[in-house]
Amino acid sequence: MNKLKIFSIAMLATSAFNYAQDVDAAKKIIDAEQYEKAKSMLKGILQAKPSSGKAAFLLGTIYLKQNSEDSAKIYFDKGAAAEEGSRFNAIGLGHLDLNNGNTSAAKSKFDGVVSSLKKKEFEELVYIAQAYINSEKPDYKAAIAILENAKLKNPNSAEVFLALGDAYYGDKSQNEAYSAYRSAYQLDPSMIRAKMQLGVLLKGAKAYTEAVKAYDEVISLNPNYGPVYRELAETYYYWANNQPKTYTENIAKALANYEKYMKLTDYSLSSRMRHADFLILAKDYKALEVEANEMKKLDKVNPRILRYLGYASYENGNIDGAISSLSEFISKGSNKIIGGDYYYLGLAQIKKAVNFDAKTVDATLMASGTENLKKGVEMSASLANALNEIGKDYFSKKMYTVAQSIFEIAISNPESKNYLEDNIYYGLSVITNNRGKDLKTIDVASLDKANAAMDNVIKATPNYQEAYLYKARINSTLEKNDIMVENFQKYVDLILAKGAEEVTKNKAKMIESYNNMAVFYSANDKAKAKELLNKTLELDSANTFALNALQTLK
């Protein structure tokens, strides 16, 4: 009997040891971002041992990473009722509270976990901190405070220092993040993510060459560690965009490394969605369409696939497909809509509104497209950057009404990298659209906006002569003649200051300026008017307007 009891205790100890090993193995697989493999392993553990709250928590955490909150909650609820590790699931449920904006409910759950911990227990503190770090509205300072407490409990825990690094990185405390990551790796050299994060810090500092070297060191330690290739892909992407001369080469490297990441992790729907998001960043829309269709095979009803099909369809010239996919995606109320969804729908509707002859416009569809494009930029201001080329394309096709609408939205973001040029094109579009109209038929509101747009340009570049010319033309149309004359004169002064060659180059615009100013002065200052008309004749002795005006003034 005693031998049987001893044997049973030994079996239980062995079983517990094996279970702990399985959970630790699952954690390493999660760290390697092989989520489908980890899910399969954890479901196997739960099947063998339903009382494992820790396995349920880790499984729920994977679903959270994959943006599947309903599935996450199922496992957190299951784990909360388990015999072992239930408090981990209280943390998981608290994380869901944070995502839903209920910080007081989350804190109540976290406080309950903390109060139940023994003196040396700290792992739960790490997970609470990670909940604050990874929630939809992160609270990095709360995470740091919790991890400092964990560090007091165990000053030699690599996991604590890794999480501290993440918290400091999120809080934009680069030096503290570097120190924490370095400490984590020194405490546990098998914690390869900590070493990889040192490269991430370099990427954030735009030290791209050094970041790649840091990642190469990680690869030399473990060439099968998938996340490092994702970081390499992102580094090459940022490198390409921040140094345009390297764009073609580095975007190719970015896409190649992301493919390596996919091969070393998994081709699940959630992974394909991450890949699709990266393809959008890299502007590889052909590959995006292929990926979207592969996702459709896995899950025909997942609405997010409509987003990818919509973006790819627009960029690949399938305008009807883009409108159909994005309209359906946006109309489903449960979807989380982002600026890009309205942006691409708006662009597609505008493109469809312009008839094939590029001369006529469907006003209703144009209005709808403009409204959606505006919504997109309001939600994500950086989208305004790309409107410059689109607007200029319509401008070059003499679709000035369309160009005006595009540039008006573009200049709504003063931080846009093309802000000044967009202001100029907006002004030119408005001037052209109102050319030849009288005061009763002009678009006064747009002309006033165009006048303000020229002020923006002049404020930033006071010696940009064309801005004064355009401002003069705008105010001539508005019949604000005193402002018109003031700006024609500023234009003339800037040209004269640059010398005879510049005058010759801009002869027609100089004549325009002199003649318009002469008309203004002819009412009250005939001598000034004659002086200006004679300056026109110095540039063009046969100028009919100037000759006739001088005869009238005699």
Side-chain angles (χ1 to χ4, degrees):
M1 186 70 173
N2 288 338
K3 285 183 180 180
L4 182 59
K5 184 182 283 188
I6 291 167
F7 178 74
S8 298
I9 292 169
M11 283 292 290
L12 285 170
T14 302
S15 175
F17 178 73
N18 289 337
Y19 156 69
Q21 278 192 318
D22 287 344
V23 169
D24 285 342
K27 285 172 65 177
K28 287 181 179 179
I29 294 168
I30 293 169
D31 177 69
E33 298 180 19
Q34 296 174 340
Y35 297 129
E36 295 308 306
K37 183 178 177 181
K39 279 159 68 174
S40 178
M41 177 180 280
L42 289 165
K43 286 175 181 177
I45 293 172
L46 279 173
Q47 191 172 5
K49 189 176 181 182
S51 62
S52 173
K54 184 75 169 288
F57 167 69
L58 292 174
L59 194 50
T61 300
I62 294 172
Y63 280 111
L64 260 186
K65 289 177 184 290
Q66 295 181 326
N67 298 311
S68 182
E69 290 199 356
D70 289 343
S71 296
K73 189 174 188 307
I74 289 169
Y75 284 101
F76 290 147
D77 283 337
K78 185 175 181 179
E83 293 176 20
E84 303 170 15
S86 61
R87 59 192 180 195
F88 288 106
N89 294 279
I91 297 168
L93 292 168
H95 191 159
L96 290 174
D97 287 332
L98 289 177
N99 284 355
N100 293 321
N102 195 345
T103 53
S104 60
K107 189 174 185 306
S108 176
K109 290 181 177 70
F110 297 155
D111 287 346
V113 171
V114 172
S115 66
S116 71
L117 295 178
K118 295 177 182 176
K119 188 175 181 180
K120 294 293 183 180
E121 289 180 326
F122 68 93
E123 187 181 8
E124 289 85 348
L125 297 177
V126 174
Y127 285 119
I128 292 171
Q130 287 176 346
Y132 279 115
I133 292 167
N134 297 318
S135 67
E136 290 188 10
K137 291 185 178 178
D139 186 343
Y140 299 112
K141 293 195 186 306
I144 291 166
I146 290 162
L147 289 165
E148 288 297 336
N149 185 20
K151 194 165 70 170
L152 290 174
K153 286 174 173 262
N154 190 337
N156 296 314
S157 168
E159 285 191 3
V160 171
F161 280 99
L162 177 63
L164 257 177
D166 292 341
Y168 279 124
Y169 178 65
D171 202 40
K172 296 181 169 54
S173 301
Q174 304 301 304
N175 292 338
E176 289 83 355
Y178 179 87
S179 176
Y181 287 137
R182 184 182 58 189
S183 295
Y185 186 67
Q186 288 172 343
L187 286 164
D188 182 0
S190 71
M191 190 171 277
I192 202 164
R193 182 175 290 271
K195 188 168 181 62
M196 182 185 76
Q197 290 300 119
L198 296 174
V200 172
L201 291 173
L202 291 165
K203 174 188 73 176
K206 297 183 180 181
Y208 302 121
T209 302
E210 292 78 7
V212 169
K213 286 179 182 176
Y215 299 139
D216 285 343
E217 288 181 16
V218 174
I219 291 168
S220 69
L221 294 170
N222 185 352
N224 295 318
Y225 186 65
V228 72
Y229 296 101
R230 187 199 64 243
E231 293 297 343
L232 264 170
E234 291 184 5
T235 300
Y236 281 120
Y237 164 75
Y238 288 121
W239 196 345
N241 281 278
N242 281 287
Q243 296 180 20
K245 289 181 180 178
T246 73
Y247 187 85
T248 302
E249 178 188 355
N250 282 330
I251 280 294
K253 289 180 180 178
L255 292 168
N257 277 288
Y258 210 101
E259 284 297 331
K260 286 183 184 177
Y261 167 70
M262 292 290 289
K263 286 175 182 175
L264 288 166
T265 52
D266 56 55
Y267 281 92
S268 64
L269 182 64
S270 60
S271 293
R272 287 185 179 279
M273 285 182 173
R274 289 200 305 274
H275 187 209
D277 289 334
F278 188 78
L279 290 172
I280 291 168
L281 290 175
K283 300 178 183 177
D284 190 343
Y285 298 104
K286 295 290 184 187
L288 177 63
E289 191 164 8
V290 171
E291 190 66 282
N293 284 310
E294 287 298 321
M295 287 189 277
K296 208 170 182 180
K297 292 175 186 176
L298 292 172
D299 187 347
K300 291 181 181 179
V301 298
N302 192 301
R304 196 163 145 195
I305 296 169
L306 292 168
R307 168 186 290 159
Y308 300 128
L309 284 171
Y311 290 15
S313 295
Y314 173 80
E315 294 289 353
N316 295 331
N318 179 3
I319 302 307
D320 288 334
I323 293 172
S324 172
S325 295
L326 290 167
S327 295
E328 185 180 349
F329 179 75
I330 289 170
S331 67
K332 292 181 176 178
S334 60
N335 292 334
K336 186 176 180 180
I337 310 301
I338 61 174
D341 304 330
Y342 286 114
Y343 174 84
Y344 272 106
L345 177 59
L347 287 178
Q349 289 172 321
I350 290 169
K351 201 159 192 175
K352 187 172 176 63
V354 178
N355 288 349
F356 69 91
D357 60 4
K359 291 180 181 178
T360 54
V361 175
D362 180 327
T364 303
L365 195 54
M366 179 69 197
S368 180
T370 302
E371 184 60 30
N372 281 316
L373 186 61
K374 185 179 177 183
K375 278 184 190 175
V377 172
E378 284 173 352
M379 290 177 73
S380 182
S382 64
L383 291 170
N385 291 326
L387 293 179
N388 179 266
E389 291 300 322
I390 296 167
K392 285 196 292 188
D393 182 58
Y394 283 115
F395 190 91
S396 70
K397 292 173 181 172
K398 299 184 179 180
M399 303 292 295
Y400 300 114
T401 302
V402 181
Q404 178 181 322
S405 297
I406 299 287
F407 285 117
E408 184 173 7
I409 295 168
I411 63 175
S412 66
N413 176 22
E415 302 303 316
S416 170
K417 64 181 181 181
N418 307 304
Y419 181 64
L420 293 181
E421 188 178 32
D422 290 342
N423 273 277
I424 293 164
Y425 271 100
Y426 174 69
L428 283 171
S429 300
V430 172
I431 291 166
T432 309
N433 283 329
N434 287 276
R435 187 176 290 155
K437 296 180 180 179
D438 59 30
L439 201 57
K440 292 179 181 178
T441 56
I442 60 172
D443 183 352
V444 175
S446 292
L447 284 160
D448 283 340
K449 286 180 185 176
N451 190 52
M454 291 308 106
D455 288 339
N456 291 334
V457 177
I458 290 167
K459 183 178 179 181
T461 55
N463 290 322
Y464 180 63
Q465 61 210 32
E466 301 299 313
Y468 296 102
L469 178 68
Y470 302 148
K471 187 172 173 68
R473 289 174 178 171
I474 290 164
N475 284 282
S476 174
T477 305
L478 288 166
E479 295 188 12
K480 295 181 178 180
N481 295 324
D482 52 340
I483 302 174
M484 172 198 73
V485 168
E486 177 188 346
N487 283 280
F488 271 133
Q489 187 63 57
K490 285 178 180 176
Y491 172 77
V492 165
D493 291 343
L494 285 168
I495 296 292
L496 291 172
K498 292 180 180 180
E501 187 178 339
E502 193 73 13
V503 172
T504 302
K505 196 192 321 182
N506 293 280
K507 186 172 80 168
K509 295 172 184 175
M510 292 288 282
I511 289 171
E512 175 191 349
S513 302
Y514 286 138
N515 286 348
N516 274 281
M517 288 192 287
V519 172
F520 174 78
Y521 284 113
S522 63
N524 299 306
D525 190 342
K526 290 185 178 180
K528 179 69 174 176
K530 289 178 182 178
E531 177 190 338
L532 290 164
L533 292 167
N534 282 317
K535 287 187 177 185
T536 291
L537 293 173
E538 287 175 15
L539 295 170
D540 177 11
S541 59
N543 186 271
T544 304
F545 178 87
L547 290 169
N548 290 339
L550 280 170
Q551 285 296 322
T552 304
L553 289 170
K554 282 184 178 179

